[in-house]
Amino acid sequence: MPAYLNAIEKGVSTVMVSYSSWNGVKMHSNHKLITGYLKNKLNFTGFVISDYDGLDRITTPWGANYTYSVLTGILAGIDMVMVPFNYTIFIDTLTSLVNQKYVPMTRIDDAVRRILRVKFTAGLFEHPNANYSLVNQLGSQEHRDLAREAVRKTLVLLKNGKSDQTPLLPLSKKAGKILVAGTHADDLGNQCGGWTITWQGQSGNNETIGTTILDGIKKTVDPTTQVVYNENPDSNFVKSGQFSYAIVLVGEPPYAEFVGDNLNDLKILEPGPAIITNVCGSVKCVVVLITGRPVVIEPYVPMVDALVAGWLPGTEGQGVADVLFGDHGFTGKLSRTWFKTVDQLPMNVGDSHYDPAVVVVVEVVVVAFSPSPSNWWSMLN
């Protein structure tokens, strides 16, 4: 619980309960963790809110015994309930449970006290409406520059070179002709993933504004370098193109929450695998994975020269190009081991069945001075 303790010490005001279960107990009904641990042991003084329709999901099927769900959730320690539709039923149900003394007024008083404390502290009674004075800064260049920096710092180098003598990265900016391919090369929606303007997000460049990774590449390379973009080239096109190297950007379509659940698979959808095969089987290539999580990549690792976890870089695709071409070095690290197959899960360093999917190939260079980030890669070469 270190992250929670740190947040509570910093004064976080609200905690949302998740849909998940712990040892078979739905979190929305877990008195031991919500009240016993969060409120009592960690001394959390803010309020606990349910997730969207969270009480309904305590039972299987959802909403099978709504009275039981309300009773269990409130007694577990939930102070504010997110009811998106039938809120009058919730109010009537909880009122009845209080009148029948199944829910004591001390529990209601505790919830109300916590909610009012947060609202008073936030100044909502004095200033109930949003402050629009900073709206003109949303999406400002300063914000985009910070987002671009975040992209650079989160990229993870998974492989660099088919042997330790032949690293591909950083890429040359002065190559004669390069190929950029893949479903995620010129698609802001795919870069951003879910919760972008809409809940699930949407592929394409119509939902928001920003810089695609393709645009970032074009802005980074030398003016004399020819950048050819082909989303899904066949092998003949690649072989006949006389490309110095290729950048392949593939990954997952946008999704949010349970819509993206697919633990039994976690594979890159077509045409992603075909693009990797067609391109990397014909020319030196770096594959950048645009995903919200690790995916199965083991079948493709041997054929690629370099492999990068790009995650979801959002609107600032220039940050990906910054690192691929060596203006900044790789600094991101995996928080957990990247698996070969989903059958290995859960797996992490130290487990008896530890068998990671990729091994990073890096060069270690000792220098007698401190280079600036802008020329770090050039000195490695």
Side-chain angles (χ1 to χ4, degrees):
M1 294 287 183
Y4 279 91
L5 181 58
N6 185 56
I8 291 168
E9 289 176 341
K10 293 292 193 335
V12 68
S13 297
T14 62
V15 171
M16 177 182 283
V17 181
S18 74
Y19 293 141
S20 59
S21 301
W22 181 258
N23 291 334
V25 179
K26 287 289 186 179
M27 202 60 65
H28 280 79
S29 63
N30 200 319
H31 179 275
K32 182 178 179 180
L33 285 181
I34 297 174
T35 298
Y37 196 88
L38 178 63
K39 292 183 175 180
N40 294 341
K41 187 174 181 63
L42 299 186
N43 196 32
F44 173 62
T45 59
F47 69 81
V48 177
I49 185 170
S50 78
D51 206 334
Y52 183 101
D53 259 345
L55 293 190
D56 301 59
R57 305 181 190 214
I58 290 176
T59 59
T60 303
W62 298 348
N65 188 336
Y66 191 63
T67 300
Y68 167 80
S69 296
V70 173
L71 175 66
T72 306
I74 299 301
L75 291 182
I78 294 174
D79 304 304
M80 181 180 286
V81 180
M82 194 188 307
V83 183
F85 304 113
N86 298 321
Y87 61 90
T88 57
I89 295 178
F90 167 76
I91 293 172
D92 293 342
T93 301
L94 181 55
T95 301
S96 176
L97 288 170
V98 171
N99 289 336
Q100 296 180 67
K101 302 188 184 308
Y102 288 109
V103 175
M105 278 303 300
T106 54
R107 174 76 272 270
I108 301 300
D109 290 343
D110 173 60
V112 173
R113 184 181 297 110
R114 289 170 176 272
I115 293 169
L116 289 177
R117 181 189 295 124
V118 170
K119 289 188 174 184
F120 275 121
T121 303
L124 291 182
F125 291 101
E126 294 80 10
H127 306 285
N129 298 319
N131 181 355
Y132 290 97
S133 63
L134 301 177
V135 166
N136 62 346
Q137 293 187 28
L138 293 174
S140 65
Q141 190 58 50
E142 180 183 5
H143 288 185
R144 293 184 181 277
D145 289 343
L146 183 62
R148 177 176 171 180
E149 178 185 352
V151 173
R152 294 196 298 259
K153 291 183 176 180
T154 52
L155 298 182
V156 179
L157 179 63
L158 300 176
K159 178 181 179 180
N160 190 15
K162 291 184 177 179
S163 72
D164 56 3
Q165 284 80 37
T166 56
L168 179 62
L169 299 175
L171 299 172
S172 171
K173 297 180 181 179
K174 295 186 177 182
K177 185 180 181 183
I178 65 175
L179 171 65
V180 178
T183 50
H184 291 57
D186 192 31
D187 194 306
L188 283 174
N190 285 347
Q191 285 178 204
C192 292
W195 286 115
T196 303
I197 309 300
T198 60
W199 176 35
Q200 290 297 318
Q202 182 177 325
S203 296
N205 295 324
N206 298 321
E207 290 293 304
T208 188
I209 59 174
T211 302
T212 68
I213 300 173
L214 174 63
D215 288 337
I217 292 170
K218 290 180 177 179
K219 293 176 183 177
T220 303
V221 297
D222 190 84
T224 61
T225 298
Q226 182 182 356
V227 178
V228 177
Y229 171 58
N230 188 324
E231 180 178 323
N232 188 4
D234 59 36
S235 57
N236 290 330
F237 175 86
V238 181
K239 291 176 181 178
S240 62
Q242 297 182 321
F243 299 109
S244 301
Y245 57 79
I247 304 173
V248 177
L249 298 118
V250 293
E252 297 183 297
Y255 60 84
E257 302 186 83
F258 56 87
V259 176
D261 290 353
N262 99 11
L263 185 58
N264 295 324
D265 197 329
L266 289 179
K267 295 179 180 178
I268 302 172
L269 299 179
E270 291 290 355
I275 296 172
I276 294 175
T277 301
N278 290 339
V279 175
C280 298
S282 304
V283 67
K284 287 184 178 181
C285 77
V286 52
V287 173
V288 182
L289 299 170
I290 306 301
T291 67
R293 57 201 166 185
V295 292
V296 176
I297 54 174
E298 181 65 19
Y300 321 111
V301 173
M303 69 179 69
V304 305
D305 295 272
L307 186 64
V308 175
W311 311 117
L312 297 176
T315 61
E316 304 313 302
Q318 183 69 57
V320 176
D322 290 342
V323 179
L324 291 182
F325 289 92
D327 291 330
H328 295 265
F330 284 92
T331 59
K333 298 180 180 180
L334 296 179
S335 58
R336 291 188 66 86
T337 296
W338 201 296
F339 51 86
K340 288 183 178 179
T341 68
V342 293
D343 297 334
Q344 295 174 299
L345 297 174
M347 178 187 69
N348 205 14
V349 175
D351 292 340
S352 59
H353 63 297
Y354 178 68
D355 186 20
V358 293
V359 177
V360 178
V361 178
V362 298
E363 292 180 302
V364 178
V365 178
V366 178
V367 292
F369 52 90
S370 299
S372 65
S374 61
N375 64 2
W376 186 83
W377 274 114
S378 62
M379 283 185 289
L380 281 186
N381 290 335

